[in-house]
Amino acid sequence: MEPTVIRLYPSNREVVCAPGDTVLTALEKAGYALPNNCRAGACGECKVKVREGQFDQGMVLDMALSPDERREGYGLMCMAKPLSKVLVIEWGTADAKPKLFPPRENQRYVVVDRIVRTPRVVELRLRPVGQPMRYWPGQYVTLADLRGEYPARSYSIANAPRPDGELSLQIAKIDGGLTSVWATERLQVGEIVKIDGPYGTFIGDPSAETPVLCLTAGTGLAPVLALTEAALRRGYRKPVTLVHSGRTRADCYAQGMMRYWETKHRNFTYKATLTRETAEGYWHGRIPALLPHHFPDLSAYSVFIAGSPEFVADCRSVALALGAPEARIHTEGFFGQAQPATAPADAMLSA
């Protein structure tokens, strides 16, 4: 059998699909991160519209791909195998960037778990009452109570998409911040909250095949956790280094997951640096000051930076000075609750 050409609409970029491979496998081999989860035709996360060509859909569940959707030309790419020489699918934009999912308002989620990560950071795990929200790793949502007593605030999603639609939000308590105090101190397991989203473009270029350096401070770790989880899960092979800055050891959470990823994925490395104490096994100092010593040449890297606006600006300036291409520097600045409501994300602990 001859390989099939998969053409991405509207960019017209082409990907070769080897005989026997699914469309999802071919896209991943070419570096395109189509959202997916179950890889078995059960969750619907990899649903796209096929504009031209024929494919074998294989066995999929109606709950993931309805009869109406099949008639409209949609398919689940985790199971779809091309039958024609060319298969044209809708994916991304004219410049081949990922196509964002339309935000949905007034989604109801139940708090299913509440985990204290640090003295000031609480992780909320939320599950949807209705249809799971589709999003790209690195995006954020707004969180509010049902009664409208607390202003909606934005928080990055800290996990990659899952079949059950669960979202993890890591929320830093901000003195005087109505929403953050409610979310970290008063909101209890079993309560229902309102979620709007997804929003944001901190998703990078899924087609890039470069070493990756992630620089985070405080709860800026959250979107990078989602990005890293998704990349490692889909078999990203280039080196991925995550450097996290905290004031003290107590501020460096999720280290168990970091060690797990280091053990399972040889291309992943985690480093933590402390700004207000020294400890064995940790770097000491602010990330912008440490970068030239540990990464003197960033010309081949993609760089992801998430933290306070000052942290992001400082890291970005140093990364540019070390040769990182501007087009491959992706940033997410987290503003405090005193900032305008249009700020991309809620306050975080800076370091």
Side-chain angles (χ1 to χ4, degrees):
M1 294 180 61
E2 295 183 359
T4 294
V5 171
I6 300 172
R7 185 172 298 137
L8 309 180
Y9 176 87
S11 68
N12 286 325
R13 289 195 182 182
E14 295 184 347
V15 171
V16 175
C17 183
D21 277 354
T22 65
V23 175
L24 175 61
T25 298
L27 291 173
E28 290 182 333
K29 286 181 178 179
Y32 291 94
L34 181 70
N36 70 92
N37 204 303
C38 72
R39 307 180 77 91
C43 73
E45 191 67 29
C46 62
K47 186 186 307 176
V48 301
K49 188 170 185 177
V50 178
R51 298 178 62 90
E52 298 179 26
Q54 291 76 46
F55 62 99
D56 178 3
Q57 178 59 91
M59 296 294 294
V60 301
L61 300 182
D62 284 347
M63 62 179 290
L65 184 68
S66 70
D68 287 343
E69 289 173 326
R70 294 173 193 248
R71 286 190 288 270
E72 293 171 4
Y74 287 90
L76 301 186
M77 298 300 100
C78 70
M79 300 295 287
K81 294 184 178 180
L83 297 176
S84 53
K85 291 184 178 180
V86 177
L87 195 71
V88 181
I89 67 171
E90 292 188 355
W91 187 95
T93 60
D95 55 1
K97 291 184 178 180
K99 187 175 183 179
L100 301 180
F101 301 111
R104 292 160 47 196
E105 296 183 347
N106 298 315
Q107 301 173 77
R108 298 297 192 262
Y109 277 71
V110 177
V111 181
V112 296
D113 205 355
R114 179 181 182 278
I115 305 169
V116 178
R117 290 297 187 187
T118 79
R120 297 183 66 86
V121 175
V122 170
E123 179 174 311
L124 299 178
R125 295 188 177 176
L126 315 174
R127 289 199 182 181
V129 175
Q131 183 180 4
M133 181 184 69
R134 301 188 73 189
Y135 66 93
W136 285 92
Q139 290 192 289
Y140 66 90
V141 296
T142 64
L143 168 72
D145 63 304
L146 295 182
R147 296 182 179 180
E149 295 181 10
Y150 306 100
R153 294 301 183 192
S154 302
Y155 298 99
S156 291
I157 304 169
N159 63 286
R162 299 174 186 175
D164 59 12
E166 182 171 292
L167 305 179
S168 293
L169 306 182
Q170 296 170 348
I171 302 174
K173 177 185 175 183
I174 306 301
D175 295 334
L178 295 177
T179 304
S180 73
V181 172
W182 161 71
T184 57
E185 293 188 351
R186 302 169 193 164
L187 187 57
Q188 298 299 315
V189 170
E191 293 191 49
I192 300 175
V193 297
K194 182 168 73 89
I195 293 289
D196 292 349
Y199 305 111
T201 57
F202 186 59
I203 55 181
D205 181 0
S207 66
E209 283 291 332
T210 68
V212 174
L213 175 62
C214 301
L215 309 175
T216 67
T219 52
L221 179 63
V224 171
L225 285 177
L227 286 163
T228 304
E229 178 188 348
L232 295 178
R233 190 170 65 189
R234 72 180 175 89
Y236 195 81
R237 292 181 176 85
K238 296 292 184 178
V240 177
T241 304
L242 195 165
V243 183
H244 180 65
S245 177
R247 296 171 179 173
T248 67
R249 284 174 292 179
D251 297 317
C252 297
Y253 62 96
Q255 295 202 60
M257 181 60 71
M258 301 297 102
R259 298 310 177 199
Y260 169 74
W261 283 345
E262 282 190 318
T263 302
K264 185 175 182 179
H265 304 281
R266 294 183 179 180
N267 61 320
F268 177 75
T269 302
Y270 168 75
K271 297 294 182 183
T273 183
L274 308 178
T275 60
R276 298 190 181 179
E277 71 175 16
T278 58
E280 184 177 355
Y282 292 82
W283 291 352
H284 177 71
R286 298 184 70 249
I287 288 178
L290 296 173
L291 277 180
H293 303 287
H294 297 282
F295 300 93
D297 182 3
L298 290 176
S299 59
Y301 280 76
S302 293
V303 183
F304 292 80
I305 310 169
S308 69
E310 295 79 12
F311 173 83
V312 169
D314 290 347
C315 287
R316 183 178 184 278
S317 176
V318 174
L320 285 170
L322 296 175
E326 186 169 6
R328 293 208 299 264
I329 298 178
H330 311 281
T331 62
E332 184 78 305
F334 287 20
F335 292 84
Q337 291 185 339
Q339 298 290 332
T342 54
D346 203 354
M348 60 164 296
L349 296 175
S350 60

